[in-house]
Amino acid sequence: GDSVTQMEGPVTLSEEAFLTINCTYTATGYPSLFWYVQYPGEGLQLLLKATKADDKGSNKGFEATYRKETTSFHLEKGSVQVSDSAVYFCALSDVNRDDKIIFGKGTRLHILP
Amino acid sequence: DAGVTQSPTHLIKTRGQQVTLRCSPKSGHDTVSWYQQALGQGPQFIFQYYEEEERQRGNFPDRFSGHQFPNYSSELNVNALLLGDSALYLCASSLGQGVTGELFFGEGSRLTVL
């Protein structure tokens, strides 16, 4: 079945460092890809998404490009801030088949001032 | 504009008991999905309700059941609780039958089974 694999955490960086969180997927169809974020004490919220190959999703300085050839959707940010500390989930959904979203295990990010 | 609200936020049960969790969707949303998030894991899809009917179901036993009311709010029921049911249960709401990833999540109900 479809699945998502993302790098294990925790990831600890200093403020203003460059961030990459790796995500790869396995899918039989043509899924949409997402990054969700869970800030401390809050619910999951959609960070960005891409619905087809070569699309780039972006929000709050974060970016991810849908790479069909490498089945990847890596999350990047050029300069992280302390407020980016959270758990990040890569996810996919094949809306042509069903509506459920399949999540990775999550990567906890700590940003040090 | 109220977001997704869930109750209770925390609860403790013993093995064999039954539990009911409640969810009110974001204003204007008509579809509710439930997810189970075990410690250190990503959320796992349980089922989705639309127009008061279960539309899809994940790989969960029949002990997990649900309901959606005419006002779109929803309940998740779990019977014959097992230790492994201990988790954070998340409710997510959206608009319409199709999911585009625009799910809005509540903060969850944390269930501990002793």
Side-chain angles (χ1 to χ4, degrees):
Chain A
D2 295 357
S3 65
V4 174
T5 302
Q6 59 184 107
M7 65 188 291
E8 293 189 16
V11 174
T12 302
L13 296 172
S14 297
E15 205 166 21
E16 299 183 1
F18 183 86
L19 168 71
T20 299
I21 299 178
N22 291 334
C23 171
T24 57
Y25 68 90
T26 301
T28 54
Y30 300 95
S32 295
L33 301 175
F34 314 96
W35 277 100
Y36 277 80
V37 59
Q38 190 171 36
Y39 297 105
E42 299 183 17
L44 278 166
Q45 52 187 274
L46 180 65
L47 179 61
L48 55 83
K49 69 176 183 179
T51 58
K52 61 183 187 296
D54 299 326
D55 268 2
K56 177 184 285 187
S58 60
N59 186 24
K60 299 182 180 181
F62 290 90
E63 294 183 338
T65 301
Y66 190 140
R67 301 287 188 198
K68 187 178 177 183
E69 62 277 13
T70 54
T71 62
S72 65
F73 193 56
H74 304 322
L75 182 67
E76 296 182 338
K77 186 174 185 181
S79 177
V80 293
Q81 302 170 0
V82 173
S83 58
D84 294 326
S85 298
V87 182
Y88 292 81
F89 293 90
C90 185
L92 68 80
S93 176
D94 188 343
V95 296
N96 292 318
R97 191 175 70 228
D98 57 39
D99 294 340
K100 67 182 179 183
I101 293 185
I102 297 171
F103 289 87
K105 292 184 176 181
T107 302
R108 184 174 297 276
L109 175 65
H110 293 290
I111 306 300
L112 303 175
Chain B
D1 177 22
V4 178
T5 58
Q6 294 186 241
S7 64
T9 55
H10 294 83
L11 69 166
I12 300 173
K13 294 286 187 179
T14 57
R15 281 181 298 174
Q17 284 189 313
Q18 178 264 346
V19 67
T20 297
L21 308 178
R22 297 176 177 81
C23 171
S24 292
K26 179 179 169 61
S27 177
H29 284 183
D30 57 7
T31 302
V32 173
S33 302
W34 287 91
Y35 287 78
Q36 180 195 66
Q37 186 178 9
L39 195 63
Q41 302 294 315
Q44 298 285 319
F45 177 77
I46 303 175
F47 42 53
Q48 182 186 80
Y49 278 85
Y50 174 73
E51 291 188 341
E52 302 181 49
E53 292 189 357
E54 183 182 294
R55 290 192 58 243
Q56 292 184 69
R57 189 178 185 91
N59 190 25
F60 279 81
D62 292 343
R63 298 186 298 109
F64 290 76
S65 63
H67 188 77
Q68 187 179 35
F69 299 94
N71 67 353
Y72 308 120
S73 66
S74 177
E75 288 182 350
L76 165 65
N77 300 292
V78 186
N79 294 322
L81 285 168
L82 304 174
L83 296 179
D85 295 331
S86 295
L88 181 67
Y89 288 85
L90 298 170
C91 171
S93 73
S94 55
L95 179 62
Q97 294 189 49
V99 171
T100 62
E102 298 285 358
L103 292 181
F104 289 78
F105 283 84
E107 293 183 27
S109 295
R110 184 166 297 283
L111 170 65
T112 301
V113 182
L114 301 178

